[in-house]
Every structure is written in C-alpha cells, then in structure tokens.
Amino acid sequence: MTPLPDHELIPLISHETINRRVAELGVEISSHYKSLLVPGETLLVIGVLNGAFVFMADLIRHLSVPLEVDFIRLSSYLDNRSSSSKVVMLKDLERNVQGRHVLIIEDIADCGLTLNWLLEFLKSRDPASLKLAVAINKKARRQFEVSLDYVAFEVDDGFLVGYGLDASRRYRELAGIYYLEEKK
Ligand code: IMP
Ligand code: MG
C-alpha cells in the first residue's frame, strides 16, 4: 500500500482483533433483538454510506436474527469559526422505518454532527426502536450528543483510515485500522 505523499500509515487495530470484536458485538446485538422481534418481524439495518459498508458487511454476518438492509448517504459540514453546521442527505432510505426496529451502522462517531442529525431524522419517522452501532467511537472532539448503543473500539483522537474509513477517498479497502499521520 503506497500512502499519500508525505504521509505514513501506523497500524492501530489488526484485522484479527477487528474480527474477534465484531463477532462479540454480533452476539450481543442478536441477543437484544431476539427478545424484541416477534415471529415474522425483521430488523431493519441501516448503513451510512460510504464509510459503513465494510463494518456493516461483517457485522450483519454475525447477527442471528432475520434482517433487511437499507442505506442512507449523508454529507456533513462543520465550521467552528462561524459555528455553522450542516448535514445534507445525498441518498434517502428506500424502506419505510415507521413501526420498525432499526439499527443504524456507522463507521465512526467524531464530532457527532452526522449521527446526531440522523438520529433526530429517523426518530421523526417513528420507528418502533432505534439503536446505533459504530466501529469506532472517537471521543476527543465530540460536540453533538449521540448515544452510542454498540461500539467496537474506542479511540481518543487522530485521523484513522482502513476498514471502510477513507482519507480523500483512499484506503477504505485496508483490512486493519491505521492512523494516517503526516511525516515529520
Ligand atoms: P462526525 O464528525 O461525527 O459528524 O463524523 C462525520 C464523518 O467524518 C464520519 O462519518 C466519517 O465519514 C468522517 N470521519 C471522522 N473522523 C474520521 C477519521 O478519523 N477518518 C476517516 N473519516 C473520519
Ligand atoms: Mg461517514
């Protein structure tokens, strides 16, 4: 893997560690929904494009409840100097969430803007229940409240790539998670 010019990739979480943790989360999430879903009912798993697709593909294969998938695509913008923020929906869901048990899957919670917006947006469509699973909870820059129900890994700060996470559209395919750092 050739890194972006003047950058280096520093390994943080290996593919093996991710696999073990995602399998564990799958058991935990399944046991919650097993007692919630009535016969014939399915869980609606919503992935936030683009970053969530790798984590979502792994996690749903560890869920032992009947489910459907759908995707939403969001783009968020935050300018702290002018304290303005905006989330734009680039692709809406195709399924109706009203009355459904919904599990959102996202790659990372950073300042929290995207997930805070998405939770409010989906709540307004009246699901039967709404939970949120993230691969990474990056805590240092949280500005918007989000309640994370399932977290695979916690990190403090730093820019991460791999396992679906990109930097300028690169590195999503890396099996592990890496810090992307500027060379000193
Ligand atoms: P938010 O700041 O919580 O709204 O996160 C917005 C989006 O920024 C996430 O969905 C990711 O796509 C992206 N993002 C945040 N931190 C990182 C990172 O460390 N690496 C790659 N993408 C990130
Ligand atoms: Mg994202």
Side-chain angles (χ1 to χ4, degrees), residues 48-52 74 106-108 114 165-166 172:
V48 186
L49 294 172
N50 290 332
L74 302 172
E106 173 61 313
D107 52 2
I108 189 164
T114 311
L165 290 160
D166 75 310
R172 291 197 198 272

Coordinates of all heavy atoms in Angstrom, one line a residue, residues 48-52 74 106-108 114 165-166 172, ligand 2:
V48 N -24.7 3.8 6.9 CA -24.5 5.2 6.4 C -23.3 5.1 5.4 O -22.2 4.8 5.8 CB -24.1 6.1 7.6 CG1 -24.0 7.5 7.2 CG2 -25.2 6.0 8.7
L49 N -23.7 5.4 4.2 CA -22.7 5.4 3.1 C -21.8 6.6 3.2 O -22.2 7.7 3.6 CB -23.4 5.3 1.7 CG -24.1 4.0 1.5 CD1 -25.0 4.2 0.2 CD2 -23.2 2.8 1.4
N50 N -20.5 6.5 2.7 CA -19.9 5.3 2.2 C -19.2 4.5 3.3 O -19.1 3.3 3.1 CB -18.9 5.7 1.2 CG -19.5 6.2 -0.1 OD1 -20.6 5.9 -0.4 ND2 -18.7 7.1 -0.8
G51 N -18.8 5.1 4.3 CA -17.8 4.5 5.3 C -18.2 3.2 5.9 O -17.4 2.4 6.3
A52 N -19.6 3.1 6.1 CA -20.0 1.9 7.0 C -20.1 0.6 6.3 O -20.3 -0.4 6.9 CB -21.4 2.2 7.5
L74 N -25.1 10.5 3.6 CA -25.1 11.9 4.2 C -23.7 12.5 4.0 O -22.7 11.9 3.9 CB -25.3 11.8 5.7 CG -26.6 11.0 6.2 CD1 -26.5 10.9 7.7 CD2 -27.8 11.8 5.8
E106 N -22.7 2.8 11.5 CA -21.8 3.9 11.0 C -20.3 3.5 11.3 O -20.0 2.7 12.2 CB -22.2 5.2 11.7 CG -21.4 6.4 11.4 CD -21.2 6.8 10.0 OE1 -21.0 6.0 9.1 OE2 -21.3 8.0 9.7
D107 N -19.4 4.1 10.5 CA -18.0 3.7 10.7 C -17.5 4.4 11.9 O -16.8 3.7 12.8 CB -17.2 4.1 9.4 CG -17.4 5.6 9.0 OD1 -18.2 6.3 9.6 OD2 -16.8 6.0 7.9
I108 N -17.7 5.7 12.1 CA -17.1 6.4 13.2 C -17.9 7.6 13.7 O -18.6 8.2 12.9 CB -15.7 6.9 12.7 CG1 -14.8 7.5 13.9 CG2 -15.8 7.9 11.6 CD1 -13.3 7.6 13.5
T114 N -23.1 14.2 12.4 CA -23.8 13.3 11.4 C -24.8 12.4 12.1 O -25.9 12.3 11.7 CB -22.7 12.5 10.7 OG1 -21.7 13.3 10.2 CG2 -23.4 11.7 9.5
L165 N -12.9 3.3 6.4 CA -12.6 4.7 6.6 C -11.7 5.2 5.5 O -10.7 4.5 5.2 CB -12.0 4.9 8.0 CG -12.9 4.7 9.2 CD1 -12.1 4.5 10.4 CD2 -13.8 6.0 9.3
D166 N -11.9 6.4 5.0 CA -11.1 6.9 3.9 C -10.4 8.2 4.3 O -10.7 8.9 5.3 CB -11.9 7.2 2.7 CG -12.7 8.5 2.8 OD1 -13.4 8.6 3.9 OD2 -12.7 9.3 1.9
R172 N -10.0 2.7 1.9 CA -11.2 2.1 2.5 C -11.0 0.5 2.5 O -11.6 -0.2 3.3 CB -12.4 2.4 1.7 CG -12.9 3.8 1.8 CD -14.3 3.9 1.3 NE -14.7 5.3 0.9 CZ -15.2 6.2 1.8 NH1 -15.4 5.9 3.1 NH2 -15.6 7.4 1.4
Ligands
MG2 MG -19.2 8.5 7.2

